[in-house]
Amino acid sequence: MSATAFLPTKGGLDALRAAAADCQGCDLYRDATQTVFGEGRASARVVMLGEQPGDREDLAGEPFVGPAGRLLDRVLAEAGIDRSTVYLTNAVKHFSFRRAERGVRRIHQRPKSGQIAACRPWLAQELSTVGPDLVVCLGATAAQAVAGSRFRLTDHRGELVPRPDSVADDLPGDWSFLATVHPSAVLRAPDRNRAYQDLLADLRPVAEFLAG
């Protein structure tokens, strides 16, 4: 399984987005409403990478528009990060879920490693096209998709470092790297205020990086 066969031969983000709409590189396309591609300017200095679109994103066709996306908008503003400097995307472009035993609610499921690998060519093309100075991974799955399966978010959370040696050559660019939790983790936290403040502290170096 791979998205490689669906990549366009030329064009920028618009061409990538259009081609991704027909992607069948893994089995997730069968149940998802639509592909949710990245969003932002091709000249964005920062790429923020989540795990996958959620229920709201799957229905809207846009990344980070649900509760976690609204929290991210809030924390970016408070950290002093201009949203227009950020390109938002996910390691996997289709919603992975299971149906609740009763009702119609769709419950988020972590994508499988094979699905992440199949979708990786899209991320590689996004990085090649945008050419960011910094990649910020939101959550452990996103961080491992970039920095390898041995990366441990608990050991390196909030560290702004040069591109790790563990990043594979198929992800282009000479960018710096920072990993933190996904905004959805803040929403699930027993102490949301503390979790929010921790995420805010992790993102302040991003604002300093952009200002430097």
Side-chain angles (χ1 to χ4, degrees):
M1 296 192 301
S2 175
T4 300
F6 299 89
L7 298 177
T9 57
K10 60 181 180 180
L13 288 176
D14 288 343
L16 287 171
R17 187 174 294 107
D22 296 322
C23 185
Q24 298 179 14
C26 78
D27 58 342
L28 290 178
Y29 81 92
R30 294 172 183 160
D31 296 321
T33 304
Q34 58 194 314
T35 303
V36 181
F37 204 70
E39 187 172 88
R41 295 188 308 184
S43 59
R45 294 188 60 198
V46 177
V47 166
M48 286 195 167
L49 179 72
E51 175 190 278
Q52 65 163 337
D55 181 77
R56 300 282 183 86
E57 290 79 10
D58 173 73
L59 296 173
E62 301 175 27
F64 292 93
V65 294
R70 291 193 294 271
L71 188 144
L72 180 62
D73 287 344
R74 174 187 163 199
V75 75
L76 286 176
E78 191 168 347
I81 301 169
D82 184 348
R83 172 67 175 76
S84 69
T85 66
V86 175
Y87 179 86
L88 288 169
T89 192
N90 286 290
V92 171
K93 312 303 190 202
H94 284 108
F95 182 30
S96 175
F97 65 92
R98 66 176 175 84
R99 295 283 183 184
E101 292 183 5
R102 296 182 179 179
V104 297
R105 189 163 67 95
R106 302 188 299 177
I107 301 171
H108 166 280
Q109 294 287 284
R110 180 177 177 178
K112 299 174 183 177
S113 59
Q115 293 163 341
I116 295 171
C119 210
R120 191 175 174 90
W122 294 118
L123 175 59
Q125 288 298 309
E126 287 175 299
L127 292 175
S128 177
T129 303
V130 176
D133 298 322
L134 174 63
V135 173
V136 177
C137 290
L138 303 172
T141 299
Q144 291 177 354
V146 169
S149 60
R150 294 185 179 181
F151 181 87
R152 293 294 176 264
L153 179 59
T154 51
D155 294 336
H156 302 287
R157 177 177 171 174
E159 295 180 3
L160 201 162
V161 297
R163 175 187 166 113
D165 292 338
S166 57
V167 174
D169 292 339
D170 66 333
L171 294 182
D174 184 19
W175 28 263
S176 297
F177 174 84
L178 182 144
T180 184
V181 298
H182 194 281
S184 61
V186 175
L187 297 176
R188 297 192 303 267
D191 186 343
R192 286 191 183 184
N193 183 62
R194 174 63 182 273
Y196 178 88
Q197 293 301 321
D198 289 345
L199 176 58
L200 177 62
D202 288 346
L203 292 179
R204 290 199 187 280
V206 178
E208 295 171 3
F209 178 91
L210 292 170

